[in-house]
Structures are given as structure tokens and as C-alpha cells.
Amino acid sequence: MEHGQKVELAHRTKPALRASLFGGFQLFAPDGIAIAITNRRARAILAMLCLAPDETLDRNYLSKLLWPGRFEAQARASLRQCLLDIGKLFQSMDCDLVEISRASVGLKAFAVRTDLGEVESALASEDYAAASELLISIGAKPLLDQINFDEAFDDWLRLRRHETEQRLQVGVATALSALKKSDNLADHARLLNAWSLRSPDSNPISNRKQGKVRIAVLPFKSIAEPDDQSFFADGIVDELITTFGQVPQLLVAGRTSSFQFKNTDKNPSDIASALNVSYLLEGSVQRKGEQVRIDVGLIDAETGFESWSYSYDGTLDDIFAARADVAQAVTNGLSEALNLQEHQPKTRTLTTNREAYGLYLQGRALTIRAIGDGVLPAAIELLEKALALDPEFAECWTALAEAEINVTVFSPCLDRLERCEKAAGYANKALKLSPQQAHARIVLAFYAWTQNDIVGALDLAFEAYLLEPNNPDVLNRVGSFLLYCGRCRDALPYIEASIDQDPVNGRSYAILCGVHLNLGNIDVAIDAGQRMVDLGFPSLWLAAATAIAGDNERAVETYQLTKKLMNTVIYPPAGSAPMDPEAMDAYWLMAAKGLWSGEGQDRKNYCMVLEMLHATLHDSCDSTIVLPAIWMGEAQMVFKTLGKQITTANFFAFMSLWTNAEPINQVRLHPDFMDFAQRIGMVAAWEKYGWPDLLPKPSTMK
């Protein structure tokens, strides 16, 4: 019988005892109580037997291994006494565990199950969810830790550890291969993340920077006629960022951060430092009528000198038709200049219609900007015009879907759910035309949240990640979704990788602040919140972190100060009129005190306001109600808002559910919390992707 079959059979027979082999060796009775084994050699013998439960150990070998330096007769006598002690121990427990003969020692068949055996059994039986949870539980613990005698035993243990890790690696690799072939992306991602705890080199997040050249493509200068508005130049930059992103040896700074330096007067060294890159690609597009000249230069950030350059001359039609070839020519020249392997990127399906392309570039630029009076309606109008010219323009459908989602997030629209459904329809059109669209999947993931399909949202996010693992926006979404589900430790590397590549994107620091708050890293959370403020975004989480740190007075002041930024990026709730300045000041002061002063009356006053808003606002589940309710631990308000309707504008509040501090944790500790989590689809997500850091899986659940 093969080893894996024996392990599976042992698992099915439910043996009486359980051994923990990873970390310090422990043996547990059927009731789960650890068995005290005071004789360290007896403990070593039992550990060796449990490590290979279907094998016997030679007594002569054991005596020499565990009693080195003694005469042979003395060593054998010591072993004999040790085995008698083991027999007495288990006899007193009415447990027939060890088989002892004149020549060998072994375990009774299927007498003990082990954590190692359970992992191997789960992998062999294709129970990948169980395998992931078991791997997470053993983490990076060494096999048979803290058992040492002399050099001979250390050599034996070193060999056994190597054999075990190799066997596990093969089992996990086989499982990952099978999952990838079957397109089971969710279980693939979960198993890979679990295995990376034990084998960090296997984690694509931790490995993504190794041996890579860091580069940023800065916005090109547009030297053109007054009505050109630089959209064509931005299109060239987008093409280059996408193409560079497919080169395995390059790590490309995110577009959001790069475009922060449009029309800047900063020197290359300062820009490279801010973007954490070694090279900058600068360029210009000079247009006169239909004639266009593109100039590109590679700047070494350390020296400030140009180390490579490229130029292209032609008509606008020439360059439009050959833009992919231009991007490839630049990539090839860059690879030669930096001693990289040449790489043939995947071709993108854009459009052959020049006018549609121009409209798309303008609409997409406004979509990314998002904030501002009339910005998103103008973006939608431009993108719809582009699609009227070319209905097969897949990336334009994705951009239109993103624009509609941004309307539901950043504006006080009265038809939030209808627009979200419309966005999902556009995203599906994009995928039908071009199945490799990662951002279209992110749009569908947003829609899935509104339908209480959190499992589907995570599945789509991981599909997008497998398609574009070096896209900081995708990394951010995967990390955010894991955070919203309470998987904070899993979320952190994705968020850190996103910020590492897109370090001047202020919104990402709110997520980072939330992650560290939930992990109890309060000082780090405060730093992340402050960084978001420094980048011009309102960090409500900075006030939360400050209050949790114990400085309530400063937290109140910090929350009030966010008003100045908040009113520039967030509109009033849907259906409500803007407040006059005095009323706005009074509202923010009351909210700040209610949340963070720590005074009972302040909290009571603000709770009354939230009840009023819930009863009167057009959207009774608006984030202006949901987020404060979570921070104040008002569980019933959370249940009747998020429990009624998740929207693209309020689901970010989930990340605050997992802060283990008073009074926030009163929501999670409420007796109705599990019913709420079941109703919105969160429990289903936990069953598939793992239970929250703060919420172990109930023993009653299978």
C-alpha cells in the first residue's frame, strides 16, 4: 500500500491520539488534552515513530542515536528502560499504542494521526480547502522543533526535514497544477497563499521585485496645437506602461503615481525617489498638422543622464496604425540598454478608428480623474460617442463600465443600483469581445458585492490578478476584498505591493491604514493615515487610529480637519442639499465628538442623528450612516444598513469591522453578527477563502 493511501485510511479510521509534528512535538489524548511526556528520549522516540507511522525503528540504531558515547550494553539497557516507561504511560491511559519486539519498535496500525498526515491526506484526496487551512495552521513552524541530542541526531533530523518538505512541495505543486488546469482560480490562490507561509519563495507577491528593474514612464510633453489637449501623448504613455508591464524583468510604476508628475518642475532624481524607481522614461510628442514626431529618452536616476534615446517620425495616421509597433520598438531598445531579455508582449485589441481612439483617451482620462463637477457625465458622453463609432472597441466598453461605477461611488446619484447593473452589462460586453480584460472583471466584482455574492467578487478579483499580477490597481482590489472579509494578514502583502508600485496614490493609504489598525499596528496605521492626508486625501481612519492610540482630543480635531478635504472629493448624500458653512461646521464637530471624544452623551447625540439620517435620506444605507455606525459599535444600525443593501459606495466600510478595539468590536461580538454575515454572503466567502483572523471557524460548521 502506498504512503498516501495509508495516510488516507488512517484519517478515515479516526485514531484515538493526535500528534503535532510541526513546532514542538506534542501528543494529545482523545479529549484534546496534551499528554505530559517528561522523559526527553521517550519524547524523541514517540516523535520519530509519529513522523513515519507506517515504519519501524531498529532498536540498535535507536540506542546509538539517542545514547551516544555510552557502551553498547548500557545504551541498550537505557533504551529498554525508556520503552518500559512509554509502555507504562499508555497502559495507564488504557491505550495500546506501541508495538515492541526484540529487534524493533513501531506504532500500532493507525494508532495516531498527525498534522503532517492530515495535510498529505487532504492533498491526496483533492480537499484543497482543508489542505489550505492545515498549511495555514502549521505556518513556518520547523518539523520536530526543540529536539536535539548530538551531531548524529541532528543529521538524522535534517534529512527527515528535507524529505518531508520535498514531499509536501511535490504534493502542493501537483495540486496547484491540477487547480490551474481546471480553472479553479479561487482554490489555486488560496492554496498558493497558504503554502507561501511555509515556503516564502513560492509567493508571487514576495517574489515580484526580485531581480527586476524598477522604471516609471512619465507623462509625455505635448508640443502641439492648442486644441490637442495632449490626449494623443497620454495614449502613447498608456501603451508603453501596458507593454512594459508584460516584461518579466521590469517593475513599472503605476499610472496614477506617474501622472502626479505631469508638467512638474521637479528634477529626475526627486521624481525617481518619490516613485522608488531606478530609471525614468521621458518623452515628447510634437505635432504640427498631420505630422508627428515622438522623442523618447531613458534617464538613469542615479546620474541624471540620458542613457538611451529613440525617435519616430510620421503622419498621425502612420503612428496611430503603428502605435503597438512603436511601443514594441521602445521596449526592445530599452531591453538592450538595460541588458534585459527581449520579450514579445501580447497584442491589445483596441480600435482601428482614429476618432474613436481619441474620444476613448479623453473619456478614460476623465474617468480616472473621477472627482469634479460634471467630470464623469462628460467621460460617459465621450466614451459612448467612441463606441458609436466602433462598437467592437473592448477596452472602451471597460472604460465605460468603470465610469458608471465611479458615478455610483463618487457622486450623489439617485439610481446607484441601476447604474451598477448597467456597468456590469458593459463589462460583460468587454469580456465577450476580449476575455483578457482584467479591469472588466473588477467592475463585475463590484457588482457581485451589491448582489451579496462575495464569493463571486473574490473569484473575479483573483481572476484579474492572474491576468495582470503586476497591475497595482488589481493588487489593490484583491487586497481590499480580502480585508473586507477580515483576512487582514492575507490582504497586507497585496496592499503593500500595490503601494510599492504606485506610491503616490493617496487612496491606497486608507486601505493600508485600515489593515494595520486591524492587525493592531497602531503607530504604523497612524503613519499611513498621515501619508494619505499629505497626498491630499481625507483620512478618516487617521482619526480612528489616533483615538485607538488613546489621544481622544487629537482624534476629534483630526476628524474635524478632514472636512476641508472631504468636501472637495465627496458630494453630500444622494437627495440631500448642501449645508451652509455654519451648519457644516456644527455637523462635523458633533460627528467628531460622537465618534472619538469617548463621552457617552456625545455618542448618544450622534446616534440620534444617524437614526434621523437613516429615516430621511434617499439612500438609507449611505456610507455617512454605515461607517460611523461601525466605529461606534452600533450593531443594529450596521445590520439594517449593510444587511439591507451593500452598494459600491458603502462596502468599503467592511474593512473597519475587523478592528479589535472598543467600541468597534461590539458589532462583531453581537449575537446576531453571524446571522448578518450569513445573510449577506460573507460566511460563504469565509468557507471558500478562509475565516477572518479574529473569527475562528465555529466547531459546529463542517
Side-chain angles (χ1 to χ4, degrees):
M1 185 180 292
E2 296 293 328
H3 176 72
Q5 293 175 305
K6 288 190 177 183
V7 171
E8 176 62 19
L9 181 56
H11 182 68
R12 291 200 305 265
T13 55
K14 296 183 180 179
L17 303 182
R18 185 179 188 277
S20 174
L21 301 177
F22 292 98
F25 172 74
Q26 285 187 292
L27 196 60
F28 298 92
D31 58 5
I33 297 176
I35 300 169
I37 307 169
T38 56
N39 185 320
R40 72 188 189 100
R41 286 182 171 84
R43 190 164 170 268
I45 290 171
L46 289 169
M48 295 169 72
L49 290 171
C50 290
L51 183 59
D54 51 352
E55 299 176 8
T56 60
L57 295 172
D58 182 80
R59 289 181 64 155
N60 286 335
Y61 177 71
L62 269 179
S63 63
K64 293 175 183 177
L65 190 66
L66 298 178
W67 285 271
R70 294 192 185 184
F71 291 115
E72 187 174 337
Q74 289 179 318
R76 287 183 179 181
S78 297
L79 173 60
R80 185 164 54 251
Q81 183 58 51
C82 189
L83 293 175
L84 285 172
D85 291 343
I86 291 174
K88 289 177 183 178
L89 173 65
F90 291 106
Q91 188 176 16
S92 66
M93 298 173 56
D94 194 25
C95 177
D96 190 13
L97 181 71
V98 182
E99 278 190 334
I100 303 172
S101 71
R102 293 177 63 87
S104 63
V105 183
L107 292 179
K108 294 283 187 181
F110 314 128
V112 177
R113 62 188 176 94
T114 69
D115 45 6
L116 172 61
E118 288 170 344
V119 172
E120 293 186 302
S121 175
L123 290 170
S125 62
E126 300 181 5
D127 188 352
Y128 301 126
S132 297
E133 289 300 320
L134 288 163
L135 285 169
I136 289 170
S137 68
I138 66 176
K141 299 173 188 173
L143 188 73
L144 301 185
D145 196 19
Q146 299 177 359
I147 296 182
N148 356 59
F149 291 97
D150 75 343
E151 189 175 341
F153 184 86
D154 290 346
D155 289 343
W156 175 89
L157 184 54
R158 191 178 301 111
L159 178 61
R160 294 300 179 273
R161 284 174 173 169
H162 176 73
E163 290 173 347
T164 301
E165 298 301 331
Q166 287 292 103
R167 203 164 67 232
L168 281 175
Q169 187 172 25
V170 170
V172 171
T174 301
L176 289 172
S177 177
L179 288 167
K180 196 166 187 178
K181 286 180 181 177
S182 64
D183 288 328
N184 190 339
L185 301 177
D187 280 349
H188 183 280
R190 187 177 176 188
L191 181 60
L192 183 58
N193 285 335
W195 177 241
S196 69
L197 295 174
R198 185 152 202 87
S199 178
D201 289 344
S202 67
N203 191 335
I205 294 295
S206 63
N207 284 338
R208 63 194 304 272
K209 295 186 287 184
Q210 294 180 11
K212 294 194 176 186
V213 176
R214 305 182 68 110
I215 187 171
V217 184
L218 297 181
F220 283 14
K221 294 178 181 177
S222 183
I223 307 168
E225 294 154 352
D227 63 345
D228 184 73
Q229 300 181 49
S230 78
F231 291 116
F232 183 75
D234 290 350
I236 296 292
V237 171
D238 272 342
E239 197 77 43
L240 289 171
I241 290 175
T242 302
T243 305
F244 288 177
Q246 298 180 47
V247 178
Q249 293 166 280
L250 288 179
L251 194 65
V252 188
R255 184 189 191 280
T256 303
S257 289
S258 290
F259 271 72
Q260 293 288 327
F261 297 96
K262 191 168 186 175
N263 301 321
T264 184
D265 57 359
K266 290 182 178 291
N267 64 54
S269 179
D270 289 341
I271 297 173
S273 178
L275 295 175
N276 192 22
V277 297
S278 302
Y279 294 92
L280 300 170
L281 193 78
E282 296 182 325
S284 65
V285 177
Q286 186 170 357
R287 179 180 167 191
K288 189 173 183 179
E290 288 296 300
Q291 294 298 312
V292 178
R293 178 181 176 85
I294 301 174
D295 290 307
V296 178
L298 180 67
I299 308 299
D300 186 322
E302 186 175 350
T303 65
F305 293 121
E306 184 176 274
S307 59
W308 172 84
S309 62
Y310 170 86
S311 295
Y312 184 95
D313 289 286
T315 67
L316 199 57
D317 281 337
D318 291 337
I319 293 178
F320 172 72
R323 61 192 183 277
D325 294 334
V326 171
Q328 183 60 56
V330 173
T331 303
N332 291 342
L334 190 70
S335 298
E336 184 176 348
L338 298 175
N339 296 316
L340 308 178
Q341 286 183 322
E342 288 195 11
H343 178 75
Q344 187 68 37
K346 299 174 185 176
T347 57
R348 293 204 297 167
T349 306
L350 287 170
T351 181
T352 57
N353 188 303
R354 196 178 104 186
E355 185 181 353
Y357 185 61
L359 292 166
Y360 158 76
L361 291 175
Q362 295 175 63
R364 185 167 177 269
L366 293 176
T367 298
I368 293 169
R369 177 180 159 193
I371 306 300
D373 191 21
V375 167
L376 289 170
I380 290 172
E381 183 179 356
L382 289 164
L383 295 169
E384 287 176 339
K385 286 181 178 179
L387 288 165
L389 295 170
D390 183 1
E392 305 296 303
F393 192 173
E395 293 206 5
C396 194
W397 283 112
T398 297
L400 182 58
E402 289 181 306
E404 289 287 0
I405 287 292
N406 282 350
V407 168
T408 69
V409 174
F410 297 110
S411 70
C413 61
L414 300 175
D415 55 348
R416 188 167 278 142
L417 296 176
E418 292 82 356
R419 282 184 176 273
C420 193
E421 186 173 4
K422 188 188 295 185
Y426 296 152
N428 278 318
K429 286 183 180 180
L431 289 173
K432 188 174 181 180
L433 292 166
S434 176
Q436 303 304 306
Q437 296 276 306
H439 277 90
R441 285 172 168 79
I442 297 299
V443 170
L444 290 174
F446 273 65
Y447 177 68
W449 275 92
T450 70
Q451 303 302 300
N452 293 342
D453 182 14
I454 301 176
V455 169
L458 283 163
D459 289 348
L460 286 159
F462 276 109
E463 287 177 21
Y465 170 68
L466 288 178
L467 287 169
E468 296 189 23
N470 292 319
N471 186 318
D473 294 330
V474 172
L475 286 163
N476 184 290
R477 290 305 172 195
V478 173
S480 299
F481 289 177
L482 288 169
L483 173 61
Y484 300 164
C485 292
R487 302 285 294 182
C488 306
R489 291 185 181 86
D490 288 349
L492 183 58
Y494 290 97
I495 300 302
E496 288 180 331
S498 172
I499 290 176
D500 174 68
Q501 197 172 338
D502 205 2
V504 196
N505 186 348
R507 292 189 184 97
S508 298
Y509 287 91
I511 306 297
L512 185 65
C513 181
V515 171
H516 283 296
L517 267 181
N518 295 348
L519 292 174
N521 305 326
I522 308 304
D523 290 343
V524 183
I526 289 174
D527 289 343
Q530 186 60 57
R531 177 61 175 153
M532 187 179 184
V533 171
D534 293 342
L535 290 169
F537 288 85
S539 180
L540 304 175
W541 283 267
L542 176 58
T546 304
I548 291 169
D551 193 343
N552 294 86
E553 184 176 345
R554 186 175 179 184
V556 170
E557 293 175 359
T558 300
Y559 197 82
Q560 282 182 279
L561 290 174
T562 62
K563 174 196 66 169
K564 296 178 180 178
L565 290 168
M566 194 77 163
N567 293 338
T568 65
V569 298
I570 301 293
Y571 292 94
S576 65
M579 295 183 183
D580 62 58
E582 289 186 2
M584 181 68 74
D585 288 342
Y587 175 81
W588 275 91
L589 177 59
M590 178 197 58
K593 287 184 174 181
L595 287 169
W596 308 124
S597 74
E599 299 294 332
Q601 188 59 50
D602 290 337
R603 171 176 167 153
K604 185 177 180 181
N605 293 342
Y606 193 30
C607 284
M608 291 174 62
V609 170
L610 292 185
E611 289 288 354
M612 182 270 292
L613 292 174
H614 183 260
T616 59
L617 284 183
H618 172 80
D619 181 2
S620 62
C621 306
D622 193 86
S623 59
T624 57
I625 304 169
V626 174
L627 191 56
I630 291 174
W631 278 334
M632 291 194 295
E634 290 293 309
Q636 291 299 339
M637 180 61 77
V638 175
F639 300 158
K640 65 184 181 183
T641 51
L642 283 178
K644 176 186 176 183
Q645 181 61 62
I646 300 172
T647 71
T648 53
N650 70 21
F651 81 120
F652 73 93
F654 276 109
M655 76 183 196
S656 289
L657 280 175
W658 309 106
T659 304
N660 193 21
E662 289 285 351
I664 299 170
N665 56 16
Q666 291 305 306
V667 178
R668 175 175 50 83
L669 297 175
H670 194 280
D672 293 338
F673 180 74
M674 287 303 298
D675 288 340
F676 157 74
Q678 183 80 48
R679 188 168 68 251
I680 65 173
M682 190 71 81
V683 172
W686 295 338
E687 285 293 313
K688 185 167 187 178
Y689 281 92
W691 283 69
D693 303 331
L694 294 176
L695 193 64
K697 181 177 180 180
S699 58
T700 55
M701 290 195 174
K702 297 182 180 178

